[in-house]
Amino acid sequence: MSRKVNFYPGPTALPLSVLEEAQREFVDYQGLGLSLVETSHRSAEYDAVHTRAAELIRELLGVPKGYHVLFLGGGATLQFAMVPMNLLSGGRFCDFTLTGAWASKAYEDAQKLGRVEVLFDGSASKYTTLPSSLSAHADAAYCHITSNETIGGVQWQDFPETGSVPLVADMSSDFLSRRVPVERFGLIYAGAQKNMGPAGATVVVIREDLLEQSADNLPAYLSYTTHSKSNSLYNTPPVFSVYMIKLVLEWLKGSGGLDAMERRNVEKASLLYRAIDESGGFYRCPVDPRVRSHMNVVFRLPSDDLEKRFITESEEAGMLGLKGHRSVGGCRASIYNATEIGGVRTLADFMAAFARKNG
Ligand code: PMP
């Protein structure tokens, strides 16, 4: 079997060794005589997987004491609502940064649930840059950022200083891709399907004091307290996704952890940005070089026709997922943890050859 090079924005590439291990033990999980996905989520077998996955997130990300790690369903999208539902009780308000399509979706939901102050609105510059600093309101319940905009390709390289105002981050598309100072965040959330595993689980890392402020009149599933009290086993968790997350985290640990992953991700991104910047203007990246994403490299070609041809020919050459998001067009290479550097080199070489032929 020849596997393609995977540049999909998510769901996306998983390490081949993880897929093979899951395949080996899918039908008979470690001699149990059942698949893990046919087994009760209350069984000792699942419990061991669930506990280990949370431990590995703590260890790899460097989660300090006083934070809880939760596995929830509903995607990162549910967190757009759960964060304000839990943290804006008692008429409080939050600060927001509008940095692209995902921040805007989170903002729309937050607005339905409480008052939101916008600290930065990037729409005027078509979401191609980020502010160098923020002035959070001292009495805001939290300040929301999107650490990496998957569609627009902007990424906070340094996190903003917000004083005593807890930073809340949607890290869906760069979670576990680099070191982050977790102690500066009140809450981090991330859907699994970019750097962690198949879709299904969303990880929430929440500081205890925010958990304690949580609204107490929420339906059970929508309350963080419910999930922290029951170790994310209040209801049936997304067992397959959590199982795969555990395998991916073991792979991540064996590959040198977040420092090694960050070095590798920077190297991969540099290959592509170099291919763009050295193309004599054939490729253009609209993003401010200061905040170019190391996960989603967006670029344009001189015309729609050339972009179409680029996608077709890249597919013929074995590279999938390079079409930009339907809302913005253009091209995008998503290069998460499991995308190998060899695949990225293949793309950089393809880009140079395509520019020579069509420039
Ligand atoms: N936030 C970001 C930054 C994303 O990239 C995505 C999905 N692409 C989401 C939120 C929504 O995630 P989900 O589909 O898991 O709800």
Side-chain angles (χ1 to χ4, degrees):
M1 172 198 50
S2 85
R3 283 176 52 85
K4 309 264 181 176
V5 189
N6 189 343
F7 294 108
Y8 279 117
T12 185
L14 291 172
L16 180 59
S17 61
V18 165
L19 294 176
E20 287 170 343
E21 186 172 352
Q23 184 181 45
R24 267 195 308 278
E25 58 185 20
F26 190 68
V27 173
D28 180 9
Y29 180 72
Q30 300 187 353
L32 180 66
L34 297 175
S35 173
L36 190 71
V37 299
E38 300 177 293
T39 311
S40 169
H41 61 294
R42 310 278 172 201
S43 67
E45 289 78 14
Y46 178 71
D47 190 61
V49 167
H50 188 90
T51 304
R52 186 69 186 135
E55 271 171 15
L56 281 165
I57 288 177
R58 284 190 167 279
E59 178 185 331
L60 290 164
L61 193 62
V63 177
K65 281 207 177 70
Y67 283 77
H68 294 247
V69 174
L70 311 175
F71 293 112
L72 308 185
T77 301
L78 180 59
Q79 297 312 305
F80 296 167
M82 271 182 78
V83 170
M85 276 179 173
N86 280 266
L87 303 184
L88 294 187
S89 61
R92 298 199 69 190
F93 75 98
C94 63
D95 284 340
F96 241 82
T97 51
L98 299 184
T99 52
W102 291 110
S104 301
K105 285 205 163 152
Y107 167 73
E108 280 165 26
D109 273 0
Q111 261 200 322
K112 291 177 187 155
L113 296 158
R115 186 157 69 86
V116 185
E117 294 285 336
V118 174
L119 298 186
F120 171 78
D121 181 356
S123 60
S125 66
K126 296 197 170 142
Y127 301 120
T128 53
T129 191
L130 293 173
S132 42
S133 64
L134 290 179
S135 292
H137 294 92
D139 50 345
Y142 61 90
C143 173
H144 186 280
I145 63 167
T146 305
S147 64
N148 182 70
E149 285 283 357
T150 321
I151 295 175
V154 301
Q155 182 179 34
W156 288 91
Q157 299 302 340
D158 296 303
F159 294 105
E161 197 49 69
T162 52
S164 60
V165 179
L167 205 46
V168 168
D170 175 1
M171 287 196 191
S172 291
S173 53
D174 64 357
F175 194 57
L176 300 173
S177 70
R178 56 175 170 170
R179 285 230 156 269
V180 294
V182 180
E183 67 286 352
R184 288 183 47 200
F185 293 84
L187 191 153
I188 294 169
Y189 61 91
Q193 67 272 19
K194 322 285 192 196
N195 276 321
M196 263 187 299
T202 304
V203 171
V204 174
V205 180
I206 180 169
R207 211 170 65 197
E208 218 147 72
D209 58 310
L210 295 196
L211 210 47
E212 281 157 13
Q213 287 165 25
S214 223
D216 53 15
N217 58 349
L218 294 173
Y221 194 87
L222 300 177
S223 161
Y224 290 126
T225 315
T226 304
H227 299 289
S228 72
K229 278 192 180 150
S230 56
N231 185 30
S232 308
L233 287 163
Y234 174 72
N235 69 331
T236 317
V239 291
F240 181 67
S241 183
V242 174
Y243 160 68
M244 291 293 285
I245 288 174
K246 181 213 162 229
L247 296 184
V248 171
L249 294 170
E250 284 167 343
W251 166 83
L252 191 51
K253 186 172 174 181
S255 308
L258 294 198
D259 289 325
M261 213 40 68
E262 181 167 352
R263 274 196 300 278
R264 214 170 86 129
N265 287 332
V266 169
E267 193 181 343
K268 289 186 297 189
S270 307
L271 280 171
L272 297 185
Y273 287 120
R274 209 175 309 136
I276 294 166
D277 294 339
E278 293 177 357
S279 69
F282 184 80
Y283 300 106
R284 279 174 300 112
C285 172
V287 178
D288 176 356
R290 222 171 32 85
V291 294
R292 285 173 166 183
S293 169
H294 296 156
M295 299 275 98
N296 309 97
V297 178
V298 297
F299 53 98
R300 306 293 316 219
L301 277 71
S303 68
D304 290 352
D305 269 359
L306 279 170
E307 283 170 353
K308 272 196 200 115
R309 204 179 316 154
F310 181 88
I311 300 299
T312 307
E313 291 185 19
S314 62
E315 284 172 0
E316 286 163 7
M319 290 172 276
L320 299 186
L322 289 166
K323 198 162 186 258
H325 191 268
R326 60 191 182 283
S327 62
V328 292
C331 301
R332 167 178 55 171
S334 298
I335 45 174
Y336 301 110
N337 285 352
T339 307
E340 290 179 11
I341 196 146
V344 178
R345 272 200 200 101
T346 306
L347 173 58
D349 292 346
F350 173 84
M351 286 170 74
F354 189 89
R356 271 196 304 276
K357 199 167 72 181
N358 297 286

